[in-house]
């Protein structure tokens, strides 16, 4: 957690705001402010040098009223139980905002993946899945990729779970390679959804997305695809960054080239020469039309939100903006399309992948992308309508929709027994 922001406190504050608008029952509010299940595991892995190292991992399920829980697995050196719980809670609202039949979950292992070999990551993944196997499953809780994990890790998760089950179970995890029951369009889905949300938001801000400047923080799965699609649409991407730092060129950066030739190198995009090297903090304050934070949480805070010069922010990352920053951005008239709407494209296509796996019947990429786009636009318009109805900002409007759907489902099912 950067700058000691308690991300779970952030998520709870956002819930409390929506609860006030909805006049939510106090007891139900207390239920929704807590996760239904938190699993903490400590497990050993034999490293390549023969030594044993112990790792800490978490799987948190927040709410399952609307269906099985769903959420990514993160490998990051700085993750903890509170942050994993916040991410699970946001997943619950996100699935409800785009109206797909899931509750929210999240998993994580505290590890700096760069320090370990492929074989060590494979062993760690297989052992972690074995430790949480009692609570995941294709009808119970379905993991997916997040920071530090990718298609290969998802393949190991699927294989490990299947070995225990005694038969191949592709529906237990999404974001798999296409050859193993993955979906066309899944890898690009989050970034693609971010750009669809940006297109809709641009209409509200009178920005021409085909002729504007864009800054993207984070050049991983979400950030690189968002930057690439923005460039393809005609925008000039003037700044991008990764964990090492940021690069800037007001005339534009060649995103496809950065992705293909630089992102895989040891030095990453920093090795590109025709640019100015700046910090991630400076990147967030660059003059631009659209800022797309796509890295980690709590990047735009009370102490730096005043420096943001973008006309709108579209959150590819989860929780990049703190509640203090939200107030400042709202006062400055900067539209912020919140994470639980803007980056929902990933879980939407994960849902498509799961449906395809359960049916053993696979769709073409065009069909996936069209269905994704329709859901993103429909959800955006619903949130826009809630903004107008409740005269509030977009994050609160999205929470009002998400929390209401979950609260209604919880009460209609009834509290067991
Ligand atoms: P990734 O691991 O592929 O990429 C993360 C990127 O962020 C990398 O470029 C990394 O160098 C950079 N980064 C890490 N720490 C940083 C820091 N302190 N400052 C600047 N950059 C930093 O991860 P991803 O899957 O692209 O996820 C990025 C964000 O998007 C996360 O917040 C994640 O929760 C969210 N998200 C991901 C998906 C998905 O489908 N992968 C879906 C919804 C939301």
């Amino acid at each position: 957690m950067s700058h000691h922001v308690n991300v779970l406190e952030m998520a709870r504050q956002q819930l409390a705001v929506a609860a006030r608008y909805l006049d939510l029952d106090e007891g139900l509010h207390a239920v929704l402010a807590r996760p239904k299940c938190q699993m903490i595991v400590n497990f050993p892995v034999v490293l390549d040098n023969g030594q044993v190292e112990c790792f800490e991992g978490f799987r948190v399920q927040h709410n399952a009223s609307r269906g099985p829980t769903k959420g990514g697995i993160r490998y990051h050196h700085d993750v903890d139980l509170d942050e994993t719980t916040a991410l699970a809670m946001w997943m619950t609202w996100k699935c409800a905002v785009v109206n797909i039949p899931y509750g929210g979950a999240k998993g994580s292992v505290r590890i700096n993946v760069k320090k370990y070999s492929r074989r060590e990551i494979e062993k760690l993944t297989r052992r972690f899945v074995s430790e949480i196997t009692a609570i995941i499953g294709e009808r119970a809780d379905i993991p997916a990729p997040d920071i530090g994990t990718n298609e290969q890790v998802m393949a190991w998760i699927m294989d490990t779970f299947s070995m225990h089950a005694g038969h191949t179970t592709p529906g237990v995890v999404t974001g798999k390679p296409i050859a193993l029951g993955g979906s066309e369009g899944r890898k690009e889905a989050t970034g693609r959804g971010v750009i669809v949300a940006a297109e809709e938001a641009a209409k509200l801000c009178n920005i021409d997305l085909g002729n504007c400047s864009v800054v993207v923080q984070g050049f991983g799965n979400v950030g690189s695809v968002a930057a690439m699609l923005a460039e393809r649409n005609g925008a000039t991407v003037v700044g991008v960054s990764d964990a090492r730092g940021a690069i800037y060129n007001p005339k534009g950066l060649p995103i496809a080239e950065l992705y293909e030739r630089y992102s895989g190198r040891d030095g990453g995009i920093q090795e590109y020469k025709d640019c100015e090297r700046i910090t991630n903090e400076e990147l967030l304050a660059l003059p631009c039309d659209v800022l797309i934070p796509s890295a980690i949480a709590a990047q735009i805070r009370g102490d730096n939100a005043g420096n943001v010069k973008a006309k709108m922010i579209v959150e590819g990352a989860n929780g990049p903006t703190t509640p203090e920053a939200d107030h400042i951005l709202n006062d400055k008239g900067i539209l912020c399309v919140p994470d639980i709407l803007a980056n929902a494209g990933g879980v939407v296509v994960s849902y498509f992948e799961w449906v395809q796996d359960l049916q053993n019947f696979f769709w073409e990429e065009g069909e996936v992308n069209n269905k994704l786009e329709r859901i993103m636009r429909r959800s955006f318009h619903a949130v826009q309508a809630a903004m107008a109805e409740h005269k509030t900002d977009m994050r609160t409007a999205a929470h009002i929709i998400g929390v209401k759907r979950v609260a209604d489902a919880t009460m209609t099912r009834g509290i067991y027994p």
Side-chain angles (χ1 to χ4, degrees):
M1 255 173 293
S2 341
H3 289 262
H4 307 291
V5 173
N6 185 327
V7 188
L8 180 56
E9 209 35 62
M10 250 173 82
R12 286 188 171 143
Q13 278 181 39
Q14 294 161 352
L15 167 64
V17 174
R20 276 201 298 278
Y21 276 88
L22 291 167
D23 202 13
L24 197 66
D25 173 82
E26 225 172 272
L28 187 53
H29 182 176
V31 171
L32 297 181
R34 291 169 178 75
K36 110 186 183 76
C37 168
Q38 291 174 309
M39 192 172 193
I40 306 174
V41 295
N42 290 285
F43 59 95
V45 175
V46 180
L47 303 182
D48 292 345
N49 65 10
Q51 277 178 355
V52 175
E53 185 169 342
C54 191
F55 293 89
E56 188 178 25
F58 312 99
R59 184 72 186 171
V60 178
Q61 299 167 344
H62 173 254
N63 184 289
S65 298
R66 301 182 65 259
T69 52
K70 184 97 189 77
I73 290 188
R74 174 174 294 196
Y75 289 172
H76 194 259
H77 61 274
D78 205 18
V79 75
D80 61 17
L81 182 62
D82 271 3
E83 184 168 20
T84 310
T85 304
L87 289 160
M89 191 188 295
W90 284 324
M91 282 304 296
T92 301
W93 315 141
K94 188 182 303 180
C95 293
V97 167
V98 291
N99 213 358
I100 56 176
Y102 287 135
K106 204 79 181 190
S108 59
V109 177
R110 193 197 276 274
I111 178 181
N112 183 350
V113 276
K114 290 205 181 71
K115 292 194 176 151
Y116 296 86
S117 71
R118 178 187 158 97
R119 178 75 189 122
E120 287 166 337
I121 298 295
E122 176 179 352
K123 289 204 275 185
L124 171 130
T125 300
R126 290 186 183 280
R127 182 64 189 247
F128 178 54
V129 172
S130 304
E131 298 289 344
I132 62 170
T133 196
I135 64 168
I136 62 171
E138 65 178 358
R139 299 285 177 182
D141 180 13
I142 304 125
D146 194 75
I147 294 178
T149 58
N150 55 22
E151 284 189 344
Q152 178 60 71
V153 174
M154 300 307 116
W156 290 326
I157 294 175
M158 187 277 260
D159 184 68
T160 305
F161 191 88
S162 299
M163 285 295 147
H164 294 176
H167 52 87
T168 300
T169 315
V172 71
V173 62
T174 59
K176 299 180 296 296
I178 290 180
L180 297 177
S183 176
E184 297 284 350
R186 173 59 186 92
K187 203 153 77 182
E188 303 79 19
T190 310
R192 186 177 295 280
V194 164
I195 295 303
V196 174
E199 281 168 11
E200 291 300 321
K203 293 179 198 161
L204 297 181
C205 298
N206 289 321
I207 293 172
D208 176 6
L209 257 204
N211 185 24
C212 74
S213 56
V214 176
V215 166
V216 182
Q217 185 190 40
F219 205 64
N221 174 284
V222 180
S224 66
V225 172
M228 212 124 46
L229 294 178
E231 180 182 66
R232 209 177 291 166
N233 285 353
T236 307
V237 182
V238 297
V240 296
S241 74
D242 62 17
R244 300 179 198 95
I247 59 176
Y248 172 55
N249 186 335
K251 295 202 204 86
L253 296 162
I255 299 305
E257 185 187 345
L258 284 174
Y259 180 73
E260 279 152 27
R261 295 194 38 207
Y262 292 88
S263 64
R265 296 187 189 184
D266 282 348
I269 51 175
Q270 299 291 321
E271 289 189 18
Y272 179 70
K273 295 280 177 297
D274 188 15
C275 61
E276 194 183 322
R277 247 155 287 277
I278 59 175
T279 63
N280 262 293
E281 201 60 28
E282 290 165 334
L283 176 97
L284 298 172
L286 285 177
C288 63
D289 296 304
V290 186
L291 174 60
I292 307 181
S294 306
I296 55 171
Q299 294 299 290
I300 306 173
R301 300 169 307 271
D303 61 285
N304 66 0
N307 305 333
V308 172
K309 295 179 193 67
K311 297 196 186 93
M312 66 184 211
I313 296 174
V314 187
E315 296 184 336
N318 286 308
T321 313
T322 67
E324 296 74 35
D326 270 335
H327 287 303
I328 298 169
L329 298 174
N330 288 337
D331 285 348
K332 288 176 65 165
I334 299 173
L335 179 73
C336 182
V337 187
D339 44 11
I340 58 171
L341 170 64
N343 70 35
V347 75
V348 168
V349 178
S350 272
Y351 165 58
F352 296 162
E353 178 174 332
W354 180 72
V355 168
Q356 293 170 77
D357 288 337
L358 295 184
Q359 300 187 343
N360 274 301
F361 182 71
F362 291 88
W363 313 348
E364 288 174 1
E365 188 181 356
E367 192 179 352
V368 170
N369 291 348
N370 286 342
K371 285 193 162 88
L372 164 65
E373 209 177 295
R374 231 174 27 231
I375 291 181
M376 289 303 297
R377 289 195 205 281
R378 186 183 68 203
S379 308
F380 190 98
H381 295 148
V383 173
Q384 196 184 328
M387 265 175 96
E389 184 190 336
H390 297 280
K391 298 189 177 43
T392 187
D393 61 280
M394 208 163 204
R395 187 181 318 280
T396 303
H399 274 83
I400 289 172
I401 292 178
V403 173
K404 180 165 191 329
R405 284 190 177 144
V406 176
D408 286 350
T410 305
M411 291 323 286
T412 310
R413 281 178 72 145
I415 307 285
Y416 179 86

